[in-house]
Amino acid sequence: QVQLAESGGGLVQAGGSLRLSCAASGLTFSGYGMGWFRQAPGKEREFVAAISRSGSSTFYADFVRDRCTISRDNAKNTVTLQMVSLKPEDTAVYYCAAAPTAINLSRRQTDYWGQGTQVTVSS
């Protein structure tokens, strides 16, 4: 059974930073592109970032391109999203996702989802 367990969300002031982590189990981690999506209240779930199976390629949504860094540790089966300069509009539930490739994720094609972690940015 595949499980993606997110952690690291919370309440932060605008301009602050957060580090989200996702621990994966039940899958051959290095065989999957990994990524992050988010969903704000009343809005559709949107792509945030993705990283290739080896970690050599990354993809970002335009709205986070200069403020987020995605990384992975294939030895620990974890993927991390470091976010800085957070804005109130970044408030959302952030979801970890897995797909055969990072390009799949950038196209919103996913195989597995985590349960999500809440990120709230106060102004």
Side-chain angles (χ1 to χ4, degrees):
Q1 182 179 358
V2 175
Q3 290 191 328
L4 304 176
E6 303 95 335
S7 61
L11 175 63
V12 63
Q13 289 188 332
S17 62
L18 276 177
R19 183 181 177 91
L20 305 183
S21 293
C22 172
S25 60
L27 76 171
T28 304
F29 186 73
S30 61
Y32 283 85
M34 298 298 298
W36 292 90
F37 289 72
R38 71 184 189 185
Q39 188 167 18
K43 295 187 177 181
E44 293 187 352
R45 193 170 299 188
E46 60 184 355
F47 169 76
V48 177
I51 188 167
S52 63
R53 288 170 286 191
S54 67
S56 60
S57 298
T58 56
F59 303 83
Y60 296 95
D62 288 342
F63 57 79
V64 296
R65 189 172 302 278
D66 296 325
R67 301 186 295 119
C68 285
T69 303
I70 188 170
S71 60
R72 67 187 294 160
D73 186 336
N74 284 350
K76 296 182 178 179
N77 288 7
T78 58
V79 59
T80 299
L81 184 69
Q82 178 72 48
M83 303 187 291
V84 300
S85 302
L86 285 163
K87 307 174 183 179
E89 51 264 44
D90 292 320
T91 296
V93 178
Y94 283 71
Y95 296 91
C96 179
T101 70
I103 291 178
N104 289 138
L105 291 163
S106 70
R107 295 174 178 171
R108 295 145 180 82
Q109 300 162 350
T110 62
D111 283 11
Y112 303 108
W113 291 103
Q115 294 297 309
T117 185
Q118 176 71 47
V119 171
T120 303
V121 184
S122 64
S123 57

